[in-house]
Amino acid sequence: MSPCCSLRYFLFYLISGMTGSLLLLAGGSALSKTSPVAQEIRFLLERDASQTHPGFSHAPLHGKSHLLTFYSERAFEPAWSSGQQPTCEAMELRQLIRLAGIDGLLPEDYHLAAVNMLMNRFFETGLLSAGELALLDVLLSDAFVSFAHHLHHGKIHPEHLNGIWNIQTKRDEPRVLEKLNRALATKKVREELHSLRPKFPVYDRMRASMKKYAELAKRYPDQNQPLSTNDKPLEIGERNPIVPFIRERLILWQDLNVYSIAPDDEDLYDRTLAMGVVSFQQRNGLQADGAIGRATLEALNHNSETLMEKLAVNMERLRWLPDTTLQEFILVNIAGYSMDFISKQDTLLHSNAIVGKSYRKTPVFNAAMSYLVFSPTWTIPPTILKNDVLPSVRKNSAYLAEKNMRVLDHSGNTIDPHTINWEKISGPDFPYLIRQEPGPSNPLGSVKFMFPNEYDVYIHDTPSKELFYREDRALSSGCIRIQKPYELAQLLLNDQPLWTDERIRSAMQQNQEQLVQLNRKIPVIILYLTCWTDSNRRENIRKDIYNRDAELLKRMRRPLLENRSGSEN
């Protein structure tokens, strides 16, 4: 017997089983043809839209076509009851629905209220009518189908959201009816549903974090008191009335262990507390300097419920991704301002990154990196040409020479800038290209990494190294600048023996560009994640720089609509 059967249910099952046996003996001939419950199930599913059963008034079916197929193949006989009683599998599915919040989903989407009402009635009276058993059966099957779709594909389709999401979602279907039949046959409802979750290890770690925050929310319901202080950052050695609250909150978030404090020093910002602040700042993508400024206080004001919401929207984003296991790939997290080179699930390189500004957002997509360009040239984009370069040339005739720029026609021929009447040419009418040669002031730096795509986005170096130390690094026009271009070039060329470390460094300092083809194509995945749990089981929280979390959360918290399939399409 499944462990889902409580002692109470087990005893009840034994006692009421005798009554059930008598009923079976009395009506055996009728049940051998079509049971009353089967008749009621068929009656429920064959109604048209104008004949909605009152049992569905607050719990409309989402996967009716799946249900008709499922039940017709079993002659409409019930799947979740036996001997006119709910089975242990029914109890197990109800418990899984109750825990749907651990996956960031809504238990209400899976008929929890109606299922609870019918189950409670059974426990109170020991009896459900054929119609009630049929209703319970259909609701549980529909819940399984919807839950399975959501775990596999996600509840919300990314096409319905603002912003570009152009990573291929899962193409395969979750085969929910196959899963449902196997779950019932093997009595392994939990295993079959759980097999549809994303296979990424980070997803399971995020579920564990969701459980942790749910428990903290229950244990500490008063963690919503906001912390505030002066605009001046709080430094080590200073005293402030909010220090005890900061200490308490860092202990709650497990960035700080409990330690002894002299009674007179409770408001003292000491070095032990500062170590906890640094840990917290690192997890939140803040400048890890130990000073408690406005950004750190804003992050400290997150409560368990807020963090659970962040986990929910990012678990949904993970459900959109294909489950393909990649041996080697480059992962850019836009909201994390980071780039990682991953091989066989090991991170070989982590680099800070700069991404697109809020009005020139870096898109979410994937492509294959096929070549890199050492000492690249930079062709001035039209907007920068119009707003910056042309006005500068009109003011200073030596501007192009100072910036190491050339004027070219569209055939690539060099044009003498002195032959151009700059006063009469505007941006839209400019018949030439302006290209900056390789050098220390070139915005692309010493190397660019190319993965051809429709957005003209690529990864590149930058001469402005100081920008990588900023907390807010949404500074580019859409491309991704990285702090460790040399190290990335090393990894990409490690299967080409002629490209020694010395040769790579030399190629990055030439006066003409050099294109190098890779021996293998490296998948590049550009994601937007504002929260995740790392391999050390530490939650990492990032600012929602493109303001995308609220829209997704709102849609995820919206109940499923009547006559919708298990996935919002």
Side-chain angles (χ1 to χ4, degrees):
M1 180 171 289
S2 168
C4 74
C5 290
S6 64
L7 179 60
R8 175 186 173 190
Y9 180 65
F10 180 71
L11 293 173
F12 184 87
Y13 198 95
L14 287 177
I15 296 169
S16 60
M18 294 186 291
T19 306
S21 299
L22 292 173
L23 289 171
L24 285 169
L25 288 172
S29 60
L31 287 170
S32 64
K33 296 176 183 178
T34 303
S35 71
V37 178
Q39 291 176 355
E40 291 289 342
I41 290 174
R42 182 177 177 186
F43 177 66
L44 285 173
L45 294 177
E46 289 185 350
R47 284 171 173 251
D48 61 34
S50 65
Q51 299 174 309
T52 303
H53 188 281
F56 299 137
S57 59
H58 299 294
L61 297 178
H62 307 302
K64 190 172 181 180
S65 62
H66 281 101
L67 297 180
L68 280 166
T69 301
F70 172 68
Y71 281 105
S72 64
E73 290 176 350
R74 56 188 298 122
F76 293 92
E77 288 298 330
W80 302 95
S81 65
S82 177
Q84 306 207 359
Q85 302 172 76
T87 62
C88 285
E89 289 68 51
M91 298 293 179
E92 185 174 29
L93 180 56
R94 180 174 73 154
Q95 181 63 10
L96 292 172
I97 294 170
R98 284 174 170 172
L99 299 175
I102 296 174
D103 286 281
L105 298 168
L106 287 181
E108 306 92 89
D109 282 339
Y110 315 114
H111 310 305
L112 181 61
V115 168
N116 276 340
M117 179 189 69
L118 291 166
M119 289 282 197
N120 292 339
R121 185 175 301 168
F122 171 71
F123 280 119
E124 291 168 3
T125 66
L127 183 68
L128 290 178
S129 68
E132 290 170 330
L133 282 170
L135 179 59
L136 177 62
D137 216 272
V138 171
L139 290 175
L140 286 171
S141 295
D142 191 56
F144 186 99
V145 168
S146 296
F147 203 176
H149 271 292
H150 292 171
L151 288 174
H152 186 72
H153 282 301
K155 177 179 175 179
I156 308 301
H157 198 288
E159 288 180 356
H160 294 150
L161 301 170
N162 293 321
I164 296 172
W165 179 283
N166 202 18
I167 294 178
Q168 181 67 53
T169 54
K170 295 184 181 75
R171 295 182 179 180
D172 62 310
E173 286 300 314
R175 298 180 294 183
V176 291
L177 294 187
E178 179 183 319
K179 292 280 185 184
L180 176 54
N181 281 308
R182 188 159 56 238
L184 293 166
T186 62
K187 302 184 183 302
K188 293 182 177 180
V189 179
R190 183 186 306 271
E191 289 83 348
E192 291 300 326
L193 272 177
H194 287 189
S195 70
L196 292 166
R197 290 180 179 141
K199 303 301 187 293
F200 314 116
V202 67
Y203 187 88
D204 287 335
R205 296 197 297 264
M206 290 167 76
R207 290 188 79 251
S209 294
M210 187 74 84
K211 290 180 185 177
K212 180 180 84 172
Y213 287 132
E215 180 61 30
L216 288 174
K218 290 178 184 177
R219 288 168 53 196
Y220 304 101
D222 300 326
Q223 55 180 287
N224 296 321
Q225 179 182 353
L227 302 172
S228 60
T229 187
N230 300 327
D231 290 338
K232 180 180 177 295
L234 182 61
E235 305 280 355
I236 296 174
E238 296 180 348
R239 295 180 181 271
N240 193 295
I242 69 166
V243 166
F245 298 100
I246 293 174
R247 185 181 292 113
E248 181 180 294
R249 204 153 290 188
L250 290 177
I251 292 171
L252 179 69
W253 298 141
Q254 299 177 349
D255 290 291
L256 183 67
N257 294 323
V258 177
Y259 65 102
S260 59
I261 307 154
D264 294 339
D265 289 337
E266 286 190 357
D267 64 346
L268 175 66
Y269 183 28
D270 57 41
R271 293 191 178 278
T272 302
L273 177 55
M275 291 172 62
V277 170
V278 168
S279 170
F280 178 82
Q281 289 171 330
Q282 290 171 338
R283 289 196 305 107
N284 283 265
L286 304 170
Q287 191 70 34
D289 55 8
I292 305 175
R294 181 171 298 175
T296 298
L297 282 170
E298 286 178 0
L300 281 166
N301 279 328
H302 289 156
N303 57 43
S304 294
E305 292 182 359
T306 302
L307 295 172
M308 289 167 68
E309 290 174 348
K310 270 192 169 290
L311 282 165
V313 296
N314 288 285
M315 291 168 79
E316 177 77 354
R317 288 170 178 142
L318 290 178
R319 287 191 286 266
W320 296 339
L321 299 176
D323 278 334
T324 306
T325 302
L326 299 174
Q327 291 297 307
E328 186 179 51
F329 62 99
I330 292 170
L331 177 66
V332 175
N333 182 9
I334 299 168
Y337 301 132
S338 64
M339 184 218 72
D340 293 280
F341 188 103
I342 300 170
S343 177
K344 299 177 182 178
Q345 299 188 5
D346 288 332
T347 301
L348 302 186
L349 175 65
H350 173 81
S351 174
N352 287 339
I354 292 168
V355 299
K357 302 172 185 176
S358 59
Y359 58 89
R360 294 293 299 274
K361 298 177 178 67
T362 299
V364 173
F365 71 100
N366 60 320
M369 185 177 291
S370 55
Y371 68 98
L372 55 83
V373 180
F374 287 120
S375 301
T377 60
W378 180 52
T379 300
I380 313 301
T383 302
I384 296 176
L385 180 70
K386 174 186 175 182
N387 297 334
D388 299 322
V389 175
L390 292 181
S392 297
V393 173
R394 294 188 191 105
K395 293 178 183 178
N396 177 12
S397 59
Y399 176 84
L400 295 177
E402 291 171 357
K403 295 294 183 181
N404 198 21
M405 293 179 177
R406 287 194 300 152
V407 181
L408 305 172
D409 64 19
H410 288 278
S411 298
N413 300 311
T414 301
I415 304 298
D416 185 349
H418 296 97
T419 64
I420 300 172
N421 188 339
W422 297 98
E423 296 298 331
K424 292 186 177 181
I425 291 180
S426 63
D429 301 326
F430 193 66
Y432 307 113
L433 303 173
I434 294 183
R435 183 169 294 162
Q436 187 171 28
E437 296 301 301
S441 63
N442 189 302
L444 302 186
S446 56
V447 59
K448 65 178 180 179
F449 306 88
M450 304 301 293
F451 40 103
N453 59 82
E454 61 183 289
Y455 309 107
D456 292 325
V457 166
Y458 46 90
I459 295 172
H460 65 88
D461 181 24
T462 176
S464 304
K465 307 294 186 185
E466 71 283 356
L467 298 180
F468 290 108
Y469 298 99
R470 292 191 183 183
E471 287 182 8
D472 181 358
R473 297 199 293 276
L475 304 169
S476 80
S477 296
C479 284
I480 300 134
R481 310 174 198 169
I482 59 170
Q483 191 174 19
K484 299 179 180 179
Y486 166 73
E487 291 83 350
L488 179 57
Q490 279 183 307
L491 288 169
L492 293 172
L493 298 175
N494 62 5
D495 60 348
Q496 300 189 40
L498 293 178
W499 281 101
T500 62
D501 294 352
E502 183 180 353
R503 187 181 178 191
I504 291 173
R505 289 192 183 280
S506 176
M508 293 172 70
Q509 300 172 9
Q510 299 174 149
N511 57 12
Q512 61 181 7
E513 64 179 18
Q514 181 178 3
L515 186 151
V516 181
Q517 295 285 348
L518 301 181
N519 284 344
R520 66 214 189 272
K521 291 189 176 181
I522 310 292
V524 178
I525 303 170
I526 302 177
L527 280 180
Y528 188 85
L529 293 178
T530 58
C531 182
W532 69 94
T533 306
D534 63 27
S535 57
N536 295 317
R537 305 284 171 176
R538 288 166 56 85
E539 293 80 21
N540 289 258
I541 300 98
R542 296 295 183 269
K543 186 178 179 181
D544 181 16
I545 58 174
Y546 293 165
N547 298 316
R548 291 177 174 171
D549 285 0
E551 180 196 10
L552 178 53
L553 181 67
K554 182 179 178 181
R555 286 179 174 266
M556 290 182 67
R557 293 295 178 256
R558 187 183 299 165
L560 290 177
L561 300 177
E562 188 172 357
N563 298 324
R564 279 294 186 94
S565 65
S567 190
E568 183 171 318
N569 295 315

